[in-house]
PDB file of all heavy atoms in Angstrom:
ATOM      1  N   ARG A   1     104.294 314.111  67.245  1.00 89.00           N
ATOM      2  CA  ARG A   1     103.233 313.361  67.914  1.00 89.00           C
ATOM      3  C   ARG A   1     102.744 314.034  69.187  1.00 89.00           C
ATOM      4  O   ARG A   1     102.138 313.417  70.043  1.00 89.00           O
ATOM      5  CB  ARG A   1     103.739 311.946  68.197  1.00 89.00           C
ATOM      6  CG  ARG A   1     103.996 311.186  66.897  1.00 89.00           C
ATOM      7  CD  ARG A   1     105.062 310.130  67.037  1.00 89.00           C
ATOM      8  NE  ARG A   1     104.604 309.003  67.822  1.00 89.00           N
ATOM      9  CZ  ARG A   1     105.391 307.974  68.149  1.00 89.00           C
ATOM     10  NH1 ARG A   1     106.654 307.959  67.752  1.00 89.00           N
ATOM     11  NH2 ARG A   1     104.926 306.980  68.866  1.00 89.00           N
ATOM     12  N   GLN A   2     103.029 315.326  69.316  1.00 92.00           N
ATOM     13  CA  GLN A   2     102.491 316.105  70.403  1.00 92.00           C
ATOM     14  C   GLN A   2     102.082 317.472  69.872  1.00 92.00           C
ATOM     15  O   GLN A   2     102.535 317.902  68.807  1.00 92.00           O
ATOM     16  CB  GLN A   2     103.513 316.262  71.537  1.00 92.00           C
ATOM     17  CG  GLN A   2     104.795 316.962  71.101  1.00 92.00           C
ATOM     18  CD  GLN A   2     105.527 317.582  72.260  1.00 92.00           C
ATOM     19  OE1 GLN A   2     104.918 318.134  73.173  1.00 92.00           O
ATOM     20  NE2 GLN A   2     106.851 317.505  72.247  1.00 92.00           N
ATOM     21  N   ALA A   3     101.223 318.148  70.593  1.00 94.00           N
ATOM     22  CA  ALA A   3     100.769 319.476  70.178  1.00 94.00           C
ATOM     23  C   ALA A   3     100.522 320.307  71.427  1.00 94.00           C
ATOM     24  O   ALA A   3     100.350 319.770  72.526  1.00 94.00           O
ATOM     25  CB  ALA A   3      99.497 319.367  69.335  1.00 94.00           C
ATOM     26  N   MET A   4     100.502 321.630  71.240  1.00 95.00           N
ATOM     27  CA  MET A   4     100.240 322.523  72.365  1.00 95.00           C
ATOM     28  C   MET A   4      99.318 323.642  71.917  1.00 95.00           C
ATOM     29  O   MET A   4      99.467 324.196  70.827  1.00 95.00           O
ATOM     30  CB  MET A   4     101.540 323.098  72.917  1.00 95.00           C
ATOM     31  CG  MET A   4     101.353 323.935  74.171  1.00 95.00           C
ATOM     32  SD  MET A   4     102.928 324.232  75.035  1.00 95.00           S
ATOM     33  CE  MET A   4     102.338 325.204  76.431  1.00 95.00           C
ATOM     34  N   VAL A   5      98.359 323.972  72.782  1.00 95.00           N
ATOM     35  CA  VAL A   5      97.430 325.077  72.543  1.00 95.00           C
ATOM     36  C   VAL A   5      97.600 326.079  73.688  1.00 95.00           C
ATOM     37  O   VAL A   5      97.576 325.685  74.861  1.00 95.00           O
ATOM     38  CB  VAL A   5      95.976 324.582  72.463  1.00 95.00           C
ATOM     39  CG1 VAL A   5      95.008 325.760  72.406  1.00 95.00           C
ATOM     40  CG2 VAL A   5      95.794 323.689  71.239  1.00 95.00           C
ATOM     41  N   PHE A   6      97.763 327.337  73.332  1.00 93.00           N
ATOM     42  CA  PHE A   6      98.066 328.380  74.300  1.00 93.00           C
ATOM     43  C   PHE A   6      96.823 329.165  74.704  1.00 93.00           C
ATOM     44  O   PHE A   6      95.781 329.089  74.052  1.00 93.00           O
ATOM     45  CB  PHE A   6      99.115 329.335  73.730  1.00 93.00           C
ATOM     46  CG  PHE A   6     100.404 328.656  73.354  1.00 93.00           C
ATOM     47  CD1 PHE A   6     100.579 328.150  72.075  1.00 93.00           C
ATOM     48  CD2 PHE A   6     101.422 328.501  74.273  1.00 93.00           C
ATOM     49  CE1 PHE A   6     101.758 327.514  71.717  1.00 93.00           C
ATOM     50  CE2 PHE A   6     102.603 327.869  73.926  1.00 93.00           C
ATOM     51  CZ  PHE A   6     102.769 327.372  72.647  1.00 93.00           C
ATOM     52  N   GLN A   7      96.972 329.950  75.750  1.00 90.00           N
ATOM     53  CA  GLN A   7      95.865 330.789  76.209  1.00 90.00           C
ATOM     54  C   GLN A   7      95.453 331.782  75.128  1.00 90.00           C
ATOM     55  O   GLN A   7      94.265 332.034  74.925  1.00 90.00           O
ATOM     56  CB  GLN A   7      96.279 331.542  77.476  1.00 90.00           C
ATOM     57  CG  GLN A   7      95.199 332.464  78.024  1.00 90.00           C
ATOM     58  CD  GLN A   7      95.645 333.157  79.300  1.00 90.00           C
ATOM     59  OE1 GLN A   7      96.610 332.749  79.942  1.00 90.00           O
ATOM     60  NE2 GLN A   7      94.950 334.218  79.661  1.00 90.00           N
ATOM     61  N   ARG A   8      96.430 332.334  74.417  1.00 90.00           N
ATOM     62  CA  ARG A   8      96.154 333.267  73.321  1.00 90.00           C
ATOM     63  C   ARG A   8      96.728 332.668  72.037  1.00 90.00           C
ATOM     64  O   ARG A   8      97.903 332.873  71.727  1.00 90.00           O
ATOM     65  CB  ARG A   8      96.773 334.646  73.609  1.00 90.00           C
ATOM     66  CG  ARG A   8      96.182 335.326  74.834  1.00 90.00           C
ATOM     67  CD  ARG A   8      96.841 336.676  75.081  1.00 90.00           C
ATOM     68  NE  ARG A   8      96.276 337.335  76.246  1.00 90.00           N
ATOM     69  CZ  ARG A   8      96.681 337.133  77.491  1.00 90.00           C
ATOM     70  NH1 ARG A   8      97.657 336.261  77.718  1.00 90.00           N
ATOM     71  NH2 ARG A   8      96.128 337.770  78.503  1.00 90.00           N
ATOM     72  N   PRO A   9      95.928 331.925  71.300  1.00 91.00           N
ATOM     73  CA  PRO A   9      96.447 331.244  70.113  1.00 91.00           C
ATOM     74  C   PRO A   9      96.834 332.214  69.013  1.00 91.00           C
ATOM     75  O   PRO A   9      96.228 333.272  68.846  1.00 91.00           O
ATOM     76  CB  PRO A   9      95.272 330.358  69.679  1.00 91.00           C
ATOM     77  CG  PRO A   9      94.062 331.058  70.195  1.00 91.00           C
ATOM     78  CD  PRO A   9      94.488 331.680  71.499  1.00 91.00           C
ATOM     79  N   VAL A  10      97.863 331.863  68.269  1.00 92.00           N
ATOM     80  CA  VAL A  10      98.313 332.670  67.138  1.00 92.00           C
ATOM     81  C   VAL A  10      97.513 332.265  65.904  1.00 92.00           C
ATOM     82  O   VAL A  10      97.465 331.093  65.537  1.00 92.00           O
ATOM     83  CB  VAL A  10      99.815 332.466  66.882  1.00 92.00           C
ATOM     84  CG1 VAL A  10     100.247 333.236  65.638  1.00 92.00           C
ATOM     85  CG2 VAL A  10     100.613 332.911  68.101  1.00 92.00           C
ATOM     86  N   MET A  11      96.901 333.251  65.277  1.00 96.00           N
ATOM     87  CA  MET A  11      96.113 333.008  64.075  1.00 96.00           C
ATOM     88  C   MET A  11      96.840 333.568  62.864  1.00 96.00           C
ATOM     89  O   MET A  11      97.270 334.728  62.866  1.00 96.00           O
ATOM     90  CB  MET A  11      94.733 333.688  64.179  1.00 96.00           C
ATOM     91  CG  MET A  11      93.850 333.156  65.302  1.00 96.00           C
ATOM     92  SD  MET A  11      93.157 331.507  64.957  1.00 96.00           S
ATOM     93  CE  MET A  11      94.122 330.487  66.080  1.00 96.00           C
ATOM     94  N   LEU A  12      96.993 332.749  61.832  1.00 96.00           N
ATOM     95  CA  LEU A  12      97.591 333.217  60.590  1.00 96.00           C
ATOM     96  C   LEU A  12      96.612 334.120  59.850  1.00 96.00           C
ATOM     97  O   LEU A  12      95.389 334.030  60.023  1.00 96.00           O
ATOM     98  CB  LEU A  12      97.963 332.031  59.699  1.00 96.00           C
ATOM     99  CG  LEU A  12      98.913 331.008  60.309  1.00 96.00           C
ATOM    100  CD1 LEU A  12      99.122 329.849  59.338  1.00 96.00           C
ATOM    101  CD2 LEU A  12     100.244 331.640  60.685  1.00 96.00           C
ATOM    102  N   ARG A  13      97.133 334.983  58.982  1.00 96.00           N
ATOM    103  CA  ARG A  13      96.282 335.873  58.180  1.00 96.00           C
ATOM    104  C   ARG A  13      95.676 335.087  57.015  1.00 96.00           C
ATOM    105  O   ARG A  13      95.936 335.355  55.840  1.00 96.00           O
ATOM    106  CB  ARG A  13      97.093 337.059  57.654  1.00 96.00           C
ATOM    107  CG  ARG A  13      97.571 338.011  58.746  1.00 96.00           C
ATOM    108  CD  ARG A  13      98.342 339.177  58.161  1.00 96.00           C
ATOM    109  NE  ARG A  13      98.826 340.077  59.185  1.00 96.00           N
ATOM    110  CZ  ARG A  13      98.122 341.065  59.723  1.00 96.00           C
ATOM    111  NH1 ARG A  13      96.881 341.280  59.306  1.00 96.00           N
ATOM    112  NH2 ARG A  13      98.645 341.837  60.644  1.00 96.00           N
ATOM    113  N   ARG A  14      94.882 334.098  57.376  1.00 97.00           N
ATOM    114  CA  ARG A  14      94.245 333.214  56.403  1.00 97.00           C
ATOM    115  C   ARG A  14      92.875 332.827  56.946  1.00 97.00           C
ATOM    116  O   ARG A  14      92.523 333.176  58.067  1.00 97.00           O
ATOM    117  CB  ARG A  14      95.093 331.955  56.194  1.00 97.00           C
ATOM    118  CG  ARG A  14      96.536 332.229  55.833  1.00 97.00           C
ATOM    119  CD  ARG A  14      97.331 330.971  55.640  1.00 97.00           C
ATOM    120  NE  ARG A  14      98.739 331.262  55.376  1.00 97.00           N
ATOM    121  CZ  ARG A  14      99.604 330.435  54.833  1.00 97.00           C
ATOM    122  NH1 ARG A  14      99.204 329.219  54.465  1.00 97.00           N
ATOM    123  NH2 ARG A  14     100.857 330.769  54.624  1.00 97.00           N
ATOM    124  N   SER A  15      92.138 332.100  56.154  1.00 98.00           N
ATOM    125  CA  SER A  15      90.840 331.618  56.607  1.00 98.00           C
ATOM    126  C   SER A  15      91.019 330.557  57.681  1.00 98.00           C
ATOM    127  O   SER A  15      92.116 330.021  57.880  1.00 98.00           O
ATOM    128  CB  SER A  15      90.056 331.032  55.434  1.00 98.00           C
ATOM    129  OG  SER A  15      90.685 329.827  54.984  1.00 98.00           O
ATOM    130  N   ALA A  16      89.931 330.249  58.369  1.00 98.00           N
ATOM    131  CA  ALA A  16      89.976 329.181  59.369  1.00 98.00           C
ATOM    132  C   ALA A  16      90.440 327.882  58.721  1.00 98.00           C
ATOM    133  O   ALA A  16      91.289 327.162  59.266  1.00 98.00           O
ATOM    134  CB  ALA A  16      88.597 329.016  60.007  1.00 98.00           C
ATOM    135  N   PHE A  17      89.889 327.563  57.575  1.00 98.00           N
ATOM    136  CA  PHE A  17      90.275 326.338  56.864  1.00 98.00           C
ATOM    137  C   PHE A  17      91.769 326.337  56.542  1.00 98.00           C
ATOM    138  O   PHE A  17      92.457 325.341  56.759  1.00 98.00           O
ATOM    139  CB  PHE A  17      89.456 326.210  55.579  1.00 98.00           C
ATOM    140  CG  PHE A  17      89.896 325.096  54.679  1.00 98.00           C
ATOM    141  CD1 PHE A  17      89.512 323.791  54.932  1.00 98.00           C
ATOM    142  CD2 PHE A  17      90.717 325.349  53.575  1.00 98.00           C
ATOM    143  CE1 PHE A  17      89.923 322.746  54.104  1.00 98.00           C
ATOM    144  CE2 PHE A  17      91.130 324.322  52.751  1.00 98.00           C
ATOM    145  CZ  PHE A  17      90.731 323.011  53.008  1.00 98.00           C
ATOM    146  N   GLN A  18      92.281 327.452  56.029  1.00 98.00           N
ATOM    147  CA  GLN A  18      93.682 327.511  55.649  1.00 98.00           C
ATOM    148  C   GLN A  18      94.610 327.473  56.857  1.00 98.00           C
ATOM    149  O   GLN A  18      95.742 327.001  56.760  1.00 98.00           O
ATOM    150  CB  GLN A  18      93.952 328.763  54.801  1.00 98.00           C
ATOM    151  CG  GLN A  18      93.365 328.708  53.401  1.00 98.00           C
ATOM    152  CD  GLN A  18      93.962 327.589  52.562  1.00 98.00           C
ATOM    153  OE1 GLN A  18      95.065 327.125  52.816  1.00 98.00           O
ATOM    154  NE2 GLN A  18      93.220 327.139  51.542  1.00 98.00           N
ATOM    155  N   ASN A  19      94.144 327.939  58.004  1.00 98.00           N
ATOM    156  CA  ASN A  19      94.940 327.805  59.219  1.00 98.00           C
ATOM    157  C   ASN A  19      95.171 326.341  59.554  1.00 98.00           C
ATOM    158  O   ASN A  19      96.280 325.935  59.907  1.00 98.00           O
ATOM    159  CB  ASN A  19      94.252 328.511  60.391  1.00 98.00           C
ATOM    160  CG  ASN A  19      94.748 329.922  60.629  1.00 98.00           C
ATOM    161  OD1 ASN A  19      95.582 330.174  61.486  1.00 98.00           O
ATOM    162  ND2 ASN A  19      94.232 330.844  59.822  1.00 98.00           N
ATOM    163  N   VAL A  20      94.122 325.545  59.443  1.00 97.00           N
ATOM    164  CA  VAL A  20      94.257 324.116  59.729  1.00 97.00           C
ATOM    165  C   VAL A  20      95.072 323.436  58.643  1.00 97.00           C
ATOM    166  O   VAL A  20      95.965 322.609  58.923  1.00 97.00           O
ATOM    167  CB  VAL A  20      92.879 323.452  59.871  1.00 97.00           C
ATOM    168  CG1 VAL A  20      93.030 321.965  60.171  1.00 97.00           C
ATOM    169  CG2 VAL A  20      92.065 324.126  60.975  1.00 97.00           C
ATOM    170  N   ARG A  21      94.786 323.774  57.407  1.00 97.00           N
ATOM    171  CA  ARG A  21      95.497 323.130  56.289  1.00 97.00           C
ATOM    172  C   ARG A  21      96.990 323.412  56.341  1.00 97.00           C
ATOM    173  O   ARG A  21      97.811 322.536  56.051  1.00 97.00           O
ATOM    174  CB  ARG A  21      94.917 323.596  54.957  1.00 97.00           C
ATOM    175  CG  ARG A  21      95.346 322.717  53.785  1.00 97.00           C
ATOM    176  CD  ARG A  21      94.832 323.229  52.457  1.00 97.00           C
ATOM    177  NE  ARG A  21      95.018 322.239  51.408  1.00 97.00           N
ATOM    178  CZ  ARG A  21      96.200 321.911  50.878  1.00 97.00           C
ATOM    179  NH1 ARG A  21      97.307 322.514  51.295  1.00 97.00           N
ATOM    180  NH2 ARG A  21      96.280 320.996  49.928  1.00 97.00           N
ATOM    181  N   PHE A  22      97.356 324.639  56.729  1.00 96.00           N
ATOM    182  CA  PHE A  22      98.782 324.987  56.802  1.00 96.00           C
ATOM    183  C   PHE A  22      99.500 324.107  57.824  1.00 96.00           C
ATOM    184  O   PHE A  22     100.626 323.651  57.579  1.00 96.00           O
ATOM    185  CB  PHE A  22      98.946 326.462  57.163  1.00 96.00           C
ATOM    186  CG  PHE A  22     100.388 326.893  57.275  1.00 96.00           C
ATOM    187  CD1 PHE A  22     101.146 327.123  56.146  1.00 96.00           C
ATOM    188  CD2 PHE A  22     100.977 327.064  58.524  1.00 96.00           C
ATOM    189  CE1 PHE A  22     102.476 327.516  56.246  1.00 96.00           C
ATOM    190  CE2 PHE A  22     102.304 327.451  58.632  1.00 96.00           C
ATOM    191  CZ  PHE A  22     103.058 327.676  57.491  1.00 96.00           C
ATOM    192  N   ALA A  23      98.865 323.868  58.971  1.00 94.00           N
ATOM    193  CA  ALA A  23      99.474 322.993  59.986  1.00 94.00           C
ATOM    194  C   ALA A  23      99.706 321.599  59.423  1.00 94.00           C
ATOM    195  O   ALA A  23     100.735 320.967  59.695  1.00 94.00           O
ATOM    196  CB  ALA A  23      98.582 322.933  61.220  1.00 94.00           C
ATOM    197  N   LEU A  24      98.766 321.128  58.639  1.00 95.00           N
ATOM    198  CA  LEU A  24      98.905 319.807  58.026  1.00 95.00           C
ATOM    199  C   LEU A  24     100.020 319.797  56.978  1.00 95.00           C
ATOM    200  O   LEU A  24     100.778 318.825  56.869  1.00 95.00           O
ATOM    201  CB  LEU A  24      97.588 319.388  57.392  1.00 95.00           C
ATOM    202  CG  LEU A  24      96.469 319.054  58.381  1.00 95.00           C
ATOM    203  CD1 LEU A  24      95.114 319.066  57.694  1.00 95.00           C
ATOM    204  CD2 LEU A  24      96.731 317.696  59.015  1.00 95.00           C
ATOM    205  N   GLU A  25     100.140 320.878  56.202  1.00 94.00           N
ATOM    206  CA  GLU A  25     101.200 320.964  55.206  1.00 94.00           C
ATOM    207  C   GLU A  25     102.566 320.929  55.871  1.00 94.00           C
ATOM    208  O   GLU A  25     103.485 320.235  55.415  1.00 94.00           O
ATOM    209  CB  GLU A  25     101.046 322.254  54.397  1.00 94.00           C
ATOM    210  CG  GLU A  25      99.856 322.260  53.443  1.00 94.00           C
ATOM    211  CD  GLU A  25      99.665 323.618  52.789  1.00 94.00           C
ATOM    212  OE1 GLU A  25     100.409 324.565  53.157  1.00 94.00           O
ATOM    213  OE2 GLU A  25      98.791 323.754  51.922  1.00 94.00           O
ATOM    214  N   VAL A  26     102.722 321.692  56.949  1.00 92.00           N
ATOM    215  CA  VAL A  26     104.004 321.720  57.662  1.00 92.00           C
ATOM    216  C   VAL A  26     104.355 320.335  58.185  1.00 92.00           C
ATOM    217  O   VAL A  26     105.519 319.920  58.176  1.00 92.00           O
ATOM    218  CB  VAL A  26     103.943 322.743  58.817  1.00 92.00           C
ATOM    219  CG1 VAL A  26     105.170 322.617  59.711  1.00 92.00           C
ATOM    220  CG2 VAL A  26     103.834 324.156  58.270  1.00 92.00           C
ATOM    221  N   ALA A  27     103.331 319.600  58.633  1.00 90.00           N
ATOM    222  CA  ALA A  27     103.558 318.249  59.160  1.00 90.00           C
ATOM    223  C   ALA A  27     103.728 317.205  58.071  1.00 90.00           C
ATOM    224  O   ALA A  27     104.034 316.041  58.358  1.00 90.00           O
ATOM    225  CB  ALA A  27     102.395 317.858  60.068  1.00 90.00           C
ATOM    226  N   GLY A  28     103.523 317.602  56.815  1.00 90.00           N
ATOM    227  CA  GLY A  28     103.665 316.655  55.713  1.00 90.00           C
ATOM    228  C   GLY A  28     102.537 315.648  55.643  1.00 90.00           C
ATOM    229  O   GLY A  28     102.721 314.529  55.144  1.00 90.00           O
ATOM    230  N   ALA A  29     101.364 316.030  56.136  1.00 89.00           N
ATOM    231  CA  ALA A  29     100.228 315.104  56.182  1.00 89.00           C
ATOM    232  C   ALA A  29      99.619 314.922  54.792  1.00 89.00           C
ATOM    233  O   ALA A  29      99.626 315.830  53.958  1.00 89.00           O
ATOM    234  CB  ALA A  29      99.174 315.614  57.149  1.00 89.00           C
ATOM    235  N   ALA A  30      99.073 313.743  54.567  1.00 89.00           N
ATOM    236  CA  ALA A  30      98.400 313.454  53.302  1.00 89.00           C
ATOM    237  C   ALA A  30      96.933 313.885  53.362  1.00 89.00           C
ATOM    238  O   ALA A  30      96.349 313.971  54.448  1.00 89.00           O
ATOM    239  CB  ALA A  30      98.493 311.961  53.005  1.00 89.00           C
ATOM    240  N   ASP A  31      96.354 314.153  52.189  1.00 94.00           N
ATOM    241  CA  ASP A  31      94.934 314.482  52.076  1.00 94.00           C
ATOM    242  C   ASP A  31      94.561 315.636  53.003  1.00 94.00           C
ATOM    243  O   ASP A  31      93.594 315.558  53.780  1.00 94.00           O
ATOM    244  CB  ASP A  31      94.091 313.245  52.387  1.00 94.00           C
ATOM    245  CG  ASP A  31      92.711 313.309  51.744  1.00 94.00           C
ATOM    246  OD1 ASP A  31      92.440 314.303  51.059  1.00 94.00           O
ATOM    247  OD2 ASP A  31      91.926 312.374  51.949  1.00 94.00           O
ATOM    248  N   ALA A  32      95.341 316.717  52.934  1.00 95.00           N
ATOM    249  CA  ALA A  32      95.195 317.830  53.866  1.00 95.00           C
ATOM    250  C   ALA A  32      93.813 318.483  53.796  1.00 95.00           C
ATOM    251  O   ALA A  32      93.261 318.875  54.836  1.00 95.00           O
ATOM    252  CB  ALA A  32      96.279 318.873  53.611  1.00 95.00           C
ATOM    253  N   ASP A  33      93.225 318.607  52.614  1.00 96.00           N
ATOM    254  CA  ASP A  33      91.911 319.256  52.508  1.00 96.00           C
ATOM    255  C   ASP A  33      90.857 318.485  53.291  1.00 96.00           C
ATOM    256  O   ASP A  33      90.080 319.068  54.059  1.00 96.00           O
ATOM    257  CB  ASP A  33      91.494 319.359  51.034  1.00 96.00           C
ATOM    258  CG  ASP A  33      92.244 320.449  50.296  1.00 96.00           C
ATOM    259  OD1 ASP A  33      93.073 321.136  50.916  1.00 96.00           O
ATOM    260  OD2 ASP A  33      92.004 320.609  49.080  1.00 96.00           O
ATOM    261  N   ARG A  34      90.818 317.186  53.097  1.00 97.00           N
ATOM    262  CA  ARG A  34      89.804 316.377  53.785  1.00 97.00           C
ATOM    263  C   ARG A  34      90.007 316.412  55.298  1.00 97.00           C
ATOM    264  O   ARG A  34      89.053 316.599  56.054  1.00 97.00           O
ATOM    265  CB  ARG A  34      89.874 314.927  53.289  1.00 97.00           C
ATOM    266  CG  ARG A  34      88.898 314.000  54.029  1.00 97.00           C
ATOM    267  CD  ARG A  34      89.086 312.545  53.607  1.00 97.00           C
ATOM    268  NE  ARG A  34      90.417 312.051  53.912  1.00 97.00           N
ATOM    269  CZ  ARG A  34      90.802 311.653  55.130  1.00 97.00           C
ATOM    270  NH1 ARG A  34      89.959 311.684  56.149  1.00 97.00           N
ATOM    271  NH2 ARG A  34      92.033 311.210  55.324  1.00 97.00           N
ATOM    272  N   VAL A  35      91.236 316.256  55.734  1.00 97.00           N
ATOM    273  CA  VAL A  35      91.507 316.226  57.169  1.00 97.00           C
ATOM    274  C   VAL A  35      91.190 317.575  57.803  1.00 97.00           C
ATOM    275  O   VAL A  35      90.652 317.641  58.910  1.00 97.00           O
ATOM    276  CB  VAL A  35      92.975 315.823  57.427  1.00 97.00           C
ATOM    277  CG1 VAL A  35      93.288 315.884  58.916  1.00 97.00           C
ATOM    278  CG2 VAL A  35      93.240 314.423  56.889  1.00 97.00           C
ATOM    279  N   ALA A  36      91.501 318.663  57.114  1.00 97.00           N
ATOM    280  CA  ALA A  36      91.190 319.999  57.638  1.00 97.00           C
ATOM    281  C   ALA A  36      89.691 320.183  57.796  1.00 97.00           C
ATOM    282  O   ALA A  36      89.219 320.720  58.808  1.00 97.00           O
ATOM    283  CB  ALA A  36      91.778 321.065  56.724  1.00 97.00           C
ATOM    284  N   ARG A  37      88.914 319.739  56.815  1.00 97.00           N
ATOM    285  CA  ARG A  37      87.453 319.851  56.912  1.00 97.00           C
ATOM    286  C   ARG A  37      86.930 319.021  58.081  1.00 97.00           C
ATOM    287  O   ARG A  37      86.044 319.457  58.828  1.00 97.00           O
ATOM    288  CB  ARG A  37      86.800 319.406  55.599  1.00 97.00           C
ATOM    289  CG  ARG A  37      86.976 320.390  54.450  1.00 97.00           C
ATOM    290  CD  ARG A  37      86.054 320.056  53.288  1.00 97.00           C
ATOM    291  NE  ARG A  37      86.382 318.757  52.690  1.00 97.00           N
ATOM    292  CZ  ARG A  37      87.236 318.597  51.678  1.00 97.00           C
ATOM    293  NH1 ARG A  37      87.848 319.641  51.158  1.00 97.00           N
ATOM    294  NH2 ARG A  37      87.464 317.403  51.179  1.00 97.00           N
ATOM    295  N   GLU A  38      87.467 317.816  58.246  1.00 97.00           N
ATOM    296  CA  GLU A  38      87.017 316.960  59.348  1.00 97.00           C
ATOM    297  C   GLU A  38      87.358 317.571  60.701  1.00 97.00           C
ATOM    298  O   GLU A  38      86.553 317.502  61.642  1.00 97.00           O
ATOM    299  CB  GLU A  38      87.668 315.580  59.217  1.00 97.00           C
ATOM    300  CG  GLU A  38      87.143 314.770  58.045  1.00 97.00           C
ATOM    301  CD  GLU A  38      87.875 313.451  57.884  1.00 97.00           C
ATOM    302  OE1 GLU A  38      88.889 313.238  58.600  1.00 97.00           O
ATOM    303  OE2 GLU A  38      87.446 312.633  57.044  1.00 97.00           O
TER     304      GLU A  38
END
């Protein structure tokens, strides 16, 4: 229930969409595709 953003963010070797979706997958979130797009 907390998050942190750094001065130099780490980007995965994936698309922008997949970067967001991966964070949701790790968190076990439902409907990851829709939430990532939003």
Side-chain angles (χ1 to χ4, degrees):
R1 295 152 71 184
Q2 60 158 321
M4 185 165 181
V5 172
F6 301 90
Q7 179 178 344
R8 296 179 180 86
V10 176
M11 297 287 107
L12 303 177
R13 293 181 181 275
R14 307 180 184 199
S15 68
F17 172 80
Q18 289 297 336
N19 264 262
V20 180
R21 195 183 192 288
F22 179 77
L24 290 163
E25 289 173 355
V26 170
D31 204 1
D33 285 359
R34 177 186 61 79
V35 176
R37 287 193 296 269
E38 290 176 352

